[in-house]
Amino acid sequence: MNASARPAVRLHLIALLLALFWGVLVQAPHLFLHRAFVNLDFTVHYNYARETFVAMQAGDFWPHFAFQAQDGLGEPGLLYYAPLYYMLTWALAQATGTVWTAMQGVEVLSAGALGYFSWRLAAGWGDPRRALAAVPLAVLAPMGCLLHLSFNGYPWASALGPLAMLTWATLRPEAQGRVLNLPAILALTLTVATHTVTGLMAVILLGALGLAELLRGRLAALRTASLWAPALTGAAGLLLSAAYLLPGYGSQDLIDASVWRQNYTPYNAFSLSTVTAWVFGVRWFAFQWPVSLVAFALAAMPLALAWRTLGDPAGRWFRAGAACAVGVILFLATELSYPLWLIDSPLRNIQFPHRLITVLVPLGAALVPIGWERCRVRAPRAVLAAVALASVGLGGLVVAKAAISDGAVIDVAERTFLPYPGLAEYRTRAALDRGNRANAFDFRAECAQAGVTCSEGLRQGRGMVWHLSSPRPARLRLPVYCFPAWSLGVNGAPAAARCDDRLGLVEMAVPAGRAQVALQWQDLPLQRLGKEISAAVALLLVVAALAMRFRDQR
């Protein structure tokens, strides 16, 4: 097929509907059977989704503090965790009625984007009808199925949708020679906002595409648009994400962020591990061997089969980019890159090298129909078909196992929202410095000891409100950990608060009589700066888009 030809509109609709169908099938154990494997990630993501729902219903449209975490004393985890998945869950919950059902809806929509954009990439370089095979290959990829149903990394799994959009936007035929790639910038921003680590892997993908141009043209490539386009996409996408990224990375000294690197090390988590498996052991065999093996085969085999037939200038550009992407991921995900993981660099934020095979899910799915179509030899095509069927079969096995034997039926009525342990890495500095000894704090007993009548805390705006009544002035600790973003108000007027010396909770002076106490979140300086940067970049991109449209019309 001519790379410039466009598929019929009905094929776009068919690809999208197929992707949504397979997405519903993957989510069936959760969506229809309400079965789930309850582990740490399940608890955190389900409760963060509920925290976001409660906060947004109360008028906080970008929540940052999870009040029920840390056994009811709260953690600022939503300041550091990508917000888009939880916000979309709130939006869908307005129609579905429960957060749990809305979570499945978000994941189905992500599967729709994953399958659709994988098809679009394949259709750009081959027959659009044959390219429909990319849809189930992408949505039923065992990596994604395991993330959805066994690992319970819901935002990570949902980030496959915008990641597929980024893969299409950067490798589609129209992207060659285009310096400003607006769809790619938007896709990177959405990826970062859904799952930060997947966003970091997406930046690595962009780096691989830039490397491809450098290898193709050597020093001459420094003058080509194809080299600078990935760099500009990465810079613009990250700057557009500054409203979240800047405070998330710039204020890690306010929490116990060292847990990320102390408790999670990469040495036992390489794909296809051999020597490191013998020395350090294996963390997750399913991810590191069968899933990784299938992912690499699905990406490398069709590219090799189509290598010679992608010989025209546009085809050479595509094959170079795809080959560098596969090669870079193969290098970084396996123990070949072991020395790099010893260096304290941003790469360590990925934590587990096998995570990088996430990048291959949409790319491999798109390459299969391209390789099948362009290879005319029967035997290699048969092997490719066998590997593709093995991938789909492995994903289907994960879904069947989740529906039949994994986990248990959970109560999704959501009648109550009880305190939960939270995550160690999101303990506030106040709690950490005092040994995190506030787990047994009893607010009712605290009020009784101080001679104060206290109501239960209610979510209001960007914080919490209590109604107090005291016959005389008293000092009282509120059931919330100290954090620099808190602003205390009493009866509508600003009031002083301190961090209590024993537990690290917010401590205040209670006046005699009745008082309404409001603890409200005020943006940190880095939050305000991040929002300003994002707004400025968004404005520049709108102006650039209008200028490009005007130029094209002329």
Side-chain angles (χ1 to χ4, degrees), residues 121-137:
L121 179 58
W125 296 99
D127 187 314
R129 293 175 295 277
R130 289 194 182 95
L132 290 172
V135 175
L137 284 169

Side-chain angles (χ1 to χ4, degrees), residues 64 462 485 521-525 527-528 531:
H64 295 97
R462 304 187 74 189
W521 182 282
Q522 301 294 326
D523 283 349
L524 298 168
Q527 286 183 273
R528 294 192 289 270
K531 290 178 180 178

Side-chain angles (χ1 to χ4, degrees), residues 352-478:
F352 312 125
H354 76 261
R355 271 183 160 177
L356 285 154
I357 61 176
T358 307
V359 177
L360 297 180
V361 171
L363 180 58
L367 284 171
V368 168
I370 296 173
W372 173 274
E373 179 183 347
R374 290 176 177 263
C375 177
R376 301 301 180 185
V377 183
R378 182 173 298 179
R381 292 176 78 177
V383 175
L384 179 60
V387 174
L389 289 173
S391 177
V392 172
L394 193 56
L397 182 62
V398 172
V399 176
K401 188 170 178 289
I404 297 170
S405 61
D406 281 358
V409 177
I410 61 171
D411 179 15
V412 295
E414 300 174 359
R415 299 182 184 90
T416 58
F417 185 19
L418 300 175
Y420 56 96
L423 292 172
E425 54 262 42
Y426 295 136
R427 290 178 298 190
T428 63
R429 177 58 56 182
L432 183 65
D433 291 345
R434 291 159 180 81
N436 195 41
R437 294 178 289 109
N439 295 33
F441 178 74
D442 187 336
F443 184 53
R444 289 181 180 274
E446 175 83 3
C447 293
Q449 184 176 354
V452 180
T453 302
C454 307
S455 72
E456 293 290 335
L458 297 174
R459 289 302 311 262
Q460 186 177 97
R462 304 187 74 189
M464 192 76 75
V465 171
W466 296 266
H467 291 90
L468 310 179
S469 178
S470 177
R472 57 186 177 278
R475 295 205 66 82
L476 184 71
R477 291 175 299 180
L478 299 176

Side-chain angles (χ1 to χ4, degrees), residues 12 37 81 181 184 197 212 273 316 361 367 444 460 471:
H12 285 266
F37 179 68
Y81 212 96
N181 192 335
V197 175
S273 56
R316 286 196 297 272
V361 171
L367 284 171
R444 289 181 180 274
Q460 186 177 97

Side-chain angles (χ1 to χ4, degrees), residues 128-151:
R129 293 175 295 277
R130 289 194 182 95
L132 290 172
V135 175
L137 284 169
V139 180
L140 282 171
M143 179 71 176
C145 292
L146 278 172
L147 291 180
H148 280 295
L149 301 173
S150 296
F151 186 82

Side-chain angles (χ1 to χ4, degrees), residues 211-224:
L211 175 63
E213 285 304 308
L214 197 60
L215 293 177
R216 286 180 68 230
R218 297 181 175 86
L219 293 179
L222 296 175
R223 298 191 300 271
T224 66

